[in-house]
Amino acid sequence: MVAYQLSIFAENKPGRLAKVTSLMAAGKINIRAITISSSDAFGVINMLVDEPDRAHKILTEAGLTVSLKPVVAVVIPDKPGGLDNLIQLLSREEINIENAYGFVLESWEKAVFVVEIDQIDKTVAVLEAEKFETLDTEALSAIEPFHYMKY
Amino acid sequence: MYWKPELETMERDTLEALQLEGLKKSVTSAAKSVFYGNQFTKINLDPSSVLSLEDIRKIPFTTKDDLREAWPYGFLAVSKDELVRMHSSSGTTGRATVIFHTARDLESWTDLLARSMYMAGMRKTDVFQNMMTYGLFTGGLGFHYGAEKIGSLTIPVGAGNSRRQIQIMKDFETTAIHIIPSYALHLSEIFEEMGVDPRRDTKLRMAFLGAEPHTEKTRQKVEEFYGLRAFNSFGLSEMNGPGVAFECQYQMGMHLWEDNFFMEIIDPDTLETVADGIEGELVLTTLKREGMPILRYRTKDLTRIIPEPCQCGRTHRRIERIKGRTDDMMILKGVNIFPIQIEKKLMEIAEVGNNFLIILERDGYNDHMIVRVEVLKDFFSGDLKQLEALRKRITAELQSDILITPRVELVEPNSLPKTEGKAVRVIDNRKD
């Protein structure tokens, strides 16, 4: 399954991220994960949100330069070697990772590793064949990160 | 103390008579060129009707655009066979203006340089290090021949390669240098890095600062750091290059060589000549050039004539340090750049909008150009690498045209000030 990440072009200066988060707050959009990569005077804010299409609309209407980009969100065990299994597989299949980030779903249980790649269809097929769980937007928005509630 | 005493201290009456003779010759020979030939026919001007210096006002102004339009040979007043040298204005490639010289023209130019450098105090006993670009740029070769004419040992080292410059200064005991002021300030940092003190470890005693307008403060900084006297020099490739106006030992304004050039100061708005002492745009006419006479050339440089006689005894009037420009030309590291060049290049790149901003900064002693460019929304795919590649491409494209490497910054669409009416394209933050 494929998920969608929002990428926002932003100049590297105070207030740019604040503008994005305030728009998300006002629009009641939940940010599941966020990373920022910057290069000197400008950068890109990457976000996984619960409603990417609506968030895209809000940001675009506010005049921001936004792109909706397909990514693969893979569920991995949150334990030593959990990530390694996945990466070794991608390596064997010669899949190159352009950008990646991860977040924990349930402490010591589950984590999500999000990868930007150019061979997206191949990656999804390989992961499914190896029984990796991938999340789409709907699944991402439904995930319950509050592990303590299970006690 | 004078290189050509009879010319330099000539009575004003005699000098003006000489100017009139030169003007008549220039107008007559200019009429042979395609450009002036057509112009004179159009306005019905008979060269023989120029009978006094005031009559110069019958002639229209010549502009840089005229020179470009008549590119390459439209201003020639002699056959191409008579030419021995070509130069072009610094920097620009697409919009360069070219100037041609006959052998006699080169002789007069060389004499002007020798006269100017001698006036500032350079002598046969000096070792002269010419730290200017050689080639099409007039600053290198112009000074080179002048220095050789005086008889100084001339080192044609050219521009750049800072450590080697300093090593040469030490090894060959350079006493005089020709240098771009911003580079002189930058070089002071290299001196410090190398642990060389120019006051203690070199024999430097004088510097010619040129090719870039600079302030009195910059001069003082250069003089202080290097322990020498720095002389301001003025020229433009259209009027040969350096050697138009130079400072004498009193360093109070630059003597403009009036036997070679007829100067007027005009109000850039009304285009009327203003009285001596009033600030305006400098307009120059060549009085001795054979190959390519230029009449009433609008330099776009702002200055004023200093009417009072100079203590040095020279009768050629002085102009003040250049205050600025009447157009939007920028001068960075001695290179002339127009915002339109940047605009033209950017418009060729599909991924960027037309809105851009040029910022000139002084970082320590180094001048930089920052070009802020808006990225088009549709182009953005969310990829930082793509943006980086675009930034590099824009940098390379601009660098190929303006010859200096700007720092390109990509900015969000609609984030730059909107262009209403005359857009502010350039912000100059360079201060002393």
Side-chain angles (χ1 to χ4, degrees), chain A residues 89-144:
Chain A
L89 170 65
L90 296 180
S91 161
R92 276 198 303 279
E93 295 292 334
E94 298 198 325
I95 293 167
N96 193 40
I97 299 172
E98 300 289 336
N99 189 23
Y101 47 96
F103 56 96
V104 170
L105 268 187
E106 282 175 53
S107 201
W108 293 99
E109 287 291 332
K110 271 187 193 176
V112 178
F113 190 62
V114 183
V115 282
E116 283 178 37
I117 46 227
D118 45 11
Q119 306 161 277
I120 202 144
D121 295 336
K122 177 184 170 183
T123 309
V124 170
V126 164
L127 292 173
E128 276 169 7
E130 295 290 327
K131 307 279 183 245
F132 273 97
E133 185 187 354
T134 53
L135 305 175
D136 61 7
T137 299
E138 212 172 308
L140 271 171
S141 70
I143 49 179
E144 264 299 346

Coordinates of all heavy atoms in Angstrom, one line a residue, chain A residues 89-144:
Chain A
L89 N 16.6 -6.4 3.1 CA 15.8 -6.8 2.0 C 15.9 -5.8 0.9 O 16.1 -6.1 -0.3 CB 14.3 -6.9 2.5 CG 13.3 -7.1 1.4 CD1 13.5 -8.5 0.7 CD2 11.9 -7.1 2.0
L90 N 15.7 -4.5 1.2 CA 15.7 -3.4 0.2 C 17.1 -3.4 -0.5 O 17.2 -3.2 -1.7 CB 15.5 -2.1 0.8 CG 14.0 -1.9 1.4 CD1 13.9 -0.5 2.0 CD2 13.0 -2.1 0.4
S91 N 18.1 -3.7 0.3 CA 19.5 -3.7 -0.3 C 19.6 -4.8 -1.3 O 20.2 -4.6 -2.4 CB 20.5 -3.8 0.9 OG 21.7 -4.3 0.4
R92 N 19.2 -6.0 -0.9 CA 19.2 -7.2 -1.8 C 18.5 -6.9 -3.1 O 18.9 -7.3 -4.2 CB 18.6 -8.4 -1.1 CG 19.6 -9.2 -0.2 CD 19.1 -10.6 0.1 NE 17.7 -10.6 0.6 CZ 17.4 -10.4 1.9 NH1 18.4 -10.2 2.8 NH2 16.2 -10.5 2.4
E93 N 17.4 -6.2 -3.0 CA 16.6 -5.9 -4.2 C 17.1 -4.7 -4.9 O 16.5 -4.2 -5.9 CB 15.1 -5.7 -3.8 CG 14.5 -6.9 -3.2 CD 14.3 -8.1 -4.2 OE1 14.2 -7.7 -5.4 OE2 14.2 -9.2 -3.8
E94 N 18.2 -4.1 -4.5 CA 18.8 -2.9 -5.1 C 17.8 -1.8 -5.2 O 17.7 -1.1 -6.2 CB 19.4 -3.3 -6.4 CG 20.5 -4.3 -6.3 CD 21.4 -4.3 -7.5 OE1 20.9 -4.1 -8.6 OE2 22.6 -4.5 -7.3
I95 N 17.1 -1.6 -4.1 CA 16.2 -0.4 -4.0 C 16.9 0.7 -3.3 O 17.3 0.5 -2.1 CB 14.9 -0.8 -3.3 CG1 14.1 -1.8 -4.2 CG2 14.0 0.4 -3.0 CD1 13.0 -2.5 -3.5
N96 N 17.0 1.8 -3.9 CA 17.7 3.0 -3.3 C 16.7 3.9 -2.5 O 15.7 4.2 -3.1 CB 18.5 3.7 -4.4 CG 19.5 4.7 -3.8 OD1 20.1 4.3 -2.8 ND2 19.5 5.9 -4.3
I97 N 17.1 4.3 -1.3 CA 16.3 5.1 -0.5 C 16.7 6.6 -0.7 O 17.9 6.9 -0.5 CB 16.4 4.7 1.0 CG1 15.9 3.3 1.1 CG2 15.6 5.7 1.8 CD1 16.2 2.7 2.5
E98 N 15.7 7.4 -1.1 CA 16.0 8.8 -1.3 C 16.0 9.6 0.0 O 16.8 10.5 0.3 CB 15.0 9.5 -2.3 CG 15.0 8.8 -3.7 CD 16.2 9.2 -4.5 OE1 16.8 10.2 -4.2 OE2 16.5 8.4 -5.4
N99 N 15.0 9.2 0.8 CA 14.8 9.9 2.1 C 14.0 9.0 3.0 O 13.3 8.2 2.5 CB 14.1 11.2 1.9 CG 14.0 12.1 3.1 OD1 14.9 11.9 4.0 ND2 13.0 13.0 3.2
A100 N 14.2 9.0 4.3 CA 13.5 8.1 5.2 C 13.4 8.7 6.6 O 14.2 9.5 6.9 CB 14.3 6.8 5.2
Y101 N 12.4 8.3 7.3 CA 12.3 8.6 8.7 C 11.4 7.6 9.4 O 10.8 6.8 8.7 CB 11.8 10.0 8.9 CG 10.6 10.4 8.1 CD1 9.3 10.3 8.6 CD2 10.7 10.8 6.7 CE1 8.2 10.6 7.9 CE2 9.6 11.2 6.0 CZ 8.3 11.1 6.5 OH 7.2 11.4 5.8
G102 N 11.5 7.6 10.7 CA 10.7 6.6 11.3 C 10.1 7.1 12.6 O 10.5 8.2 13.1
F103 N 9.1 6.4 13.1 CA 8.5 6.8 14.4 C 7.9 5.5 15.0 O 7.6 4.5 14.4 CB 7.4 7.9 14.2 CG 6.3 7.6 13.3 CD1 5.1 7.1 13.8 CD2 6.4 7.8 11.9 CE1 4.0 6.8 12.9 CE2 5.4 7.6 11.1 CZ 4.2 7.0 11.5
V104 N 7.9 5.6 16.4 CA 7.4 4.4 17.1 C 5.9 4.4 17.2 O 5.3 5.4 17.5 CB 8.1 4.4 18.5 CG1 7.5 3.4 19.4 CG2 9.6 4.2 18.4
L105 N 5.3 3.2 17.0 CA 3.9 3.1 17.2 C 3.5 2.7 18.6 O 2.7 3.3 19.3 CB 3.3 2.1 16.2 CG 2.9 2.6 14.8 CD1 2.3 1.4 14.1 CD2 1.9 3.7 14.9
E106 N 4.2 1.6 18.9 CA 4.0 1.0 20.3 C 5.4 0.7 20.8 O 6.1 0.0 20.2 CB 3.2 -0.3 20.3 CG 1.7 -0.1 20.1 CD 1.0 -1.5 19.9 OE1 1.3 -2.4 20.8 OE2 0.4 -1.7 18.9
S107 N 5.7 1.3 22.0 CA 7.0 1.1 22.5 C 7.3 -0.4 22.6 O 6.6 -1.2 23.2 CB 7.1 1.8 23.8 OG 8.5 2.0 24.1
W108 N 8.5 -0.8 22.1 CA 8.9 -2.2 22.1 C 8.0 -3.2 21.4 O 8.2 -4.4 21.4 CB 9.2 -2.7 23.6 CG 10.3 -2.0 24.2 CD1 10.3 -0.9 25.0 CD2 11.7 -2.2 24.0 NE1 11.5 -0.5 25.4 CE2 12.4 -1.3 24.7 CE3 12.4 -3.2 23.2 CZ2 13.8 -1.2 24.8 CZ3 13.8 -3.2 23.3 CH2 14.5 -2.2 24.0
E109 N 7.1 -2.6 20.6 CA 6.2 -3.5 19.8 C 6.3 -3.2 18.4 O 6.9 -4.0 17.6 CB 4.8 -3.3 20.3 CG 4.4 -3.9 21.6 CD 4.4 -5.4 21.6 OE1 4.1 -6.0 20.6 OE2 4.7 -6.0 22.7
K110 N 5.9 -2.0 18.0 CA 5.8 -1.7 16.6 C 6.3 -0.3 16.3 O 6.1 0.6 17.1 CB 4.3 -1.6 16.2 CG 3.7 -3.0 15.7 CD 2.3 -2.7 15.2 CE 1.5 -3.9 15.0 NZ 0.1 -3.6 14.6
A111 N 7.0 -0.2 15.1 CA 7.4 1.1 14.6 C 7.0 1.2 13.2 O 6.7 0.2 12.5 CB 8.9 1.3 14.8
V112 N 7.1 2.5 12.7 CA 6.8 2.7 11.2 C 8.1 3.3 10.6 O 8.6 4.3 11.2 CB 5.6 3.6 11.0 CG1 5.4 3.8 9.5 CG2 4.3 2.9 11.6
F113 N 8.5 2.7 9.5 CA 9.6 3.3 8.8 C 9.1 3.8 7.4 O 8.5 3.1 6.7 CB 10.7 2.2 8.6 CG 12.0 2.8 8.0 CD1 12.7 3.7 8.8 CD2 12.5 2.3 6.8 CE1 13.9 4.2 8.3 CE2 13.7 2.8 6.3 CZ 14.4 3.8 7.1
V114 N 9.2 5.1 7.2 CA 8.7 5.7 6.0 C 9.8 6.0 5.0 O 10.9 6.5 5.4 CB 8.0 7.1 6.3 CG1 7.4 7.7 5.1 CG2 7.0 6.9 7.4
V115 N 9.7 5.5 3.8 CA 10.7 5.6 2.8 C 10.2 6.3 1.5 O 9.2 6.0 1.0 CB 11.4 4.3 2.4 CG1 12.4 3.9 3.5 CG2 10.4 3.2 2.1
E116 N 11.1 7.3 1.1 CA 10.8 7.8 -0.3 C 11.8 7.1 -1.2 O 13.0 7.0 -1.0 CB 11.2 9.3 -0.3 CG 10.3 10.3 0.4 CD 10.8 11.7 0.3 OE1 11.4 12.1 -0.6 OE2 10.6 12.4 1.3
I117 N 11.2 6.5 -2.3 CA 12.0 5.8 -3.2 C 11.5 6.1 -4.6 O 10.3 6.6 -4.8 CB 11.9 4.3 -3.0 CG1 10.4 3.9 -2.9 CG2 12.8 3.7 -2.0 CD1 10.1 3.0 -1.7
D118 N 12.3 5.9 -5.6 CA 11.7 6.1 -7.0 C 11.0 4.9 -7.5 O 10.1 5.0 -8.3 CB 12.8 6.7 -7.9 CG 14.1 6.0 -7.9 OD1 14.1 4.9 -7.2 OD2 15.1 6.5 -8.4
Q119 N 11.5 3.6 -7.1 CA 10.8 2.4 -7.6 C 9.7 2.0 -6.7 O 9.8 1.0 -6.0 CB 11.8 1.3 -7.8 CG 13.0 1.6 -8.6 CD 14.1 0.6 -8.2 OE1 14.8 0.8 -7.3 NE2 14.3 -0.4 -9.1
I120 N 8.6 2.8 -6.7 CA 7.6 2.6 -5.6 C 6.8 1.3 -5.8 O 6.6 0.6 -4.8 CB 6.7 3.9 -5.5 CG1 6.1 3.9 -4.1 CG2 5.7 3.9 -6.6 CD1 6.0 5.3 -3.6
D121 N 6.4 1.0 -7.0 CA 5.6 -0.2 -7.3 C 6.4 -1.5 -7.0 O 5.9 -2.4 -6.3 CB 5.1 -0.2 -8.7 CG 4.2 0.9 -9.0 OD1 3.6 1.4 -8.0 OD2 4.1 1.3 -10.2
K122 N 7.6 -1.5 -7.4 CA 8.5 -2.6 -7.2 C 8.7 -2.8 -5.6 O 8.6 -4.0 -5.1 CB 9.9 -2.4 -7.8 CG 10.8 -3.6 -7.5 CD 12.2 -3.3 -8.1 CE 13.2 -4.4 -7.6 NZ 14.5 -4.1 -8.0
T123 N 8.9 -1.7 -4.9 CA 9.1 -1.8 -3.5 C 7.9 -2.4 -2.8 O 8.0 -3.3 -1.9 CB 9.4 -0.4 -2.9 OG1 10.5 0.1 -3.7 CG2 9.9 -0.5 -1.5
V124 N 6.7 -1.9 -3.2 CA 5.5 -2.4 -2.5 C 5.3 -3.9 -2.8 O 5.0 -4.7 -1.9 CB 4.3 -1.6 -3.1 CG1 3.0 -2.3 -2.6 CG2 4.3 -0.2 -2.6
A125 N 5.6 -4.3 -4.0 CA 5.5 -5.7 -4.4 C 6.5 -6.6 -3.6 O 6.1 -7.6 -3.0 CB 5.7 -5.9 -5.9
V126 N 7.7 -6.1 -3.5 CA 8.7 -6.9 -2.7 C 8.3 -7.0 -1.3 O 8.4 -8.1 -0.7 CB 10.1 -6.2 -2.9 CG1 11.1 -6.7 -1.8 CG2 10.7 -6.3 -4.3
L127 N 7.8 -5.9 -0.7 CA 7.5 -5.9 0.7 C 6.3 -6.9 1.0 O 6.3 -7.6 2.0 CB 7.2 -4.5 1.2 CG 8.4 -3.6 1.3 CD1 7.9 -2.1 1.6 CD2 9.4 -4.0 2.3
E128 N 5.3 -6.8 0.1 CA 4.2 -7.7 0.2 C 4.6 -9.2 0.1 O 4.1 -10.0 0.9 CB 3.1 -7.3 -0.8 CG 2.2 -6.2 -0.2 CD 1.3 -5.5 -1.3 OE1 1.2 -6.1 -2.4 OE2 0.7 -4.5 -0.9
A129 N 5.4 -9.5 -0.8 CA 5.9 -10.8 -1.0 C 6.6 -11.3 0.3 O 6.5 -12.5 0.6 CB 6.8 -10.9 -2.2
E130 N 7.3 -10.4 1.0 CA 8.0 -10.8 2.2 C 7.2 -10.6 3.4 O 7.7 -10.6 4.6 CB 9.3 -10.0 2.3 CG 10.3 -10.3 1.2 CD 11.0 -11.7 1.3 OE1 11.2 -12.2 2.4 OE2 11.2 -12.3 0.2
K131 N 5.9 -10.4 3.3 CA 4.9 -10.3 4.4 C 5.2 -9.1 5.3 O 4.9 -9.1 6.5 CB 4.9 -11.6 5.2 CG 4.7 -12.8 4.5 CD 3.2 -13.0 4.2 CE 3.0 -14.3 3.4 NZ 2.5 -14.1 2.1
F132 N 5.7 -8.0 4.7 CA 5.9 -6.8 5.5 C 4.5 -6.1 5.5 O 3.9 -6.1 4.4 CB 7.0 -5.9 5.0 CG 8.3 -6.2 5.5 CD1 9.2 -7.0 4.8 CD2 8.7 -5.7 6.7 CE1 10.5 -7.3 5.3 CE2 10.0 -6.0 7.2 CZ 10.9 -6.7 6.5
E133 N 4.1 -5.5 6.5 CA 2.9 -4.7 6.5 C 3.2 -3.3 6.1 O 4.0 -2.6 6.6 CB 2.3 -4.7 7.9 CG 0.9 -4.1 8.0 CD 0.4 -3.9 9.4 OE1 1.0 -4.4 10.4 OE2 -0.7 -3.3 9.6
T134 N 2.4 -2.8 5.1 CA 2.6 -1.4 4.7 C 1.3 -0.7 5.0 O 0.2 -1.3 4.9 CB 2.9 -1.3 3.2 OG1 2.0 -2.0 2.4 CG2 4.3 -1.8 2.9
L135 N 1.3 0.6 5.3 CA 0.2 1.3 5.7 C -0.2 2.3 4.6 O 0.7 3.0 4.0 CB 0.4 2.1 7.0 CG 0.9 1.2 8.2 CD1 1.2 2.1 9.3 CD2 -0.2 0.2 8.6
D136 N -1.5 2.4 4.3 CA -1.9 3.5 3.4 C -2.4 4.7 4.3 O -2.3 4.6 5.5 CB -3.0 3.1 2.4 CG -4.2 2.6 3.1 OD1 -4.3 2.8 4.3 OD2 -5.1 2.1 2.4
T137 N -2.9 5.7 3.6 CA -3.3 6.9 4.4 C -4.3 6.6 5.4 O -4.2 7.1 6.6 CB -3.8 7.9 3.4 OG1 -2.7 8.2 2.5 CG2 -4.2 9.2 4.1
E138 N -5.3 5.8 5.0 CA -6.3 5.5 6.0 C -5.8 4.7 7.2 O -6.1 5.1 8.3 CB -7.3 4.6 5.2 CG -8.8 4.8 5.7 CD -9.7 4.0 4.8 OE1 -9.6 4.2 3.5 OE2 -10.5 3.2 5.3
A139 N -4.9 3.8 6.9 CA -4.4 3.0 8.1 C -3.5 3.9 8.9 O -3.5 3.8 10.2 CB -3.5 1.9 7.5
L140 N -2.8 4.8 8.3 CA -2.0 5.8 9.1 C -2.8 6.6 10.0 O -2.5 7.0 11.1 CB -1.1 6.6 8.1 CG 0.2 6.1 7.7 CD1 0.8 7.0 6.6 CD2 1.2 6.1 8.9
S141 N -3.9 7.1 9.4 CA -4.8 8.0 10.2 C -5.5 7.2 11.3 O -5.9 7.8 12.3 CB -5.8 8.7 9.3 OG -6.7 7.8 8.9
A142 N -5.6 5.9 11.2 CA -6.3 5.1 12.2 C -5.4 4.6 13.3 O -5.8 4.2 14.3 CB -7.0 3.9 11.5
I143 N -4.1 4.7 13.1 CA -3.2 4.1 14.1 C -3.3 4.8 15.4 O -3.5 6.0 15.5 CB -1.7 4.0 13.6 CG1 -1.3 5.4 13.1 CG2 -1.5 2.9 12.6 CD1 0.2 5.5 12.7
E144 N -3.2 4.0 16.4 CA -3.3 4.4 17.8 C -1.9 4.5 18.4 O -1.4 3.5 18.8 CB -4.2 3.4 18.6 CG -5.6 3.7 18.6 CD -5.9 5.0 19.4 OE1 -5.0 5.6 20.0 OE2 -7.0 5.5 19.3

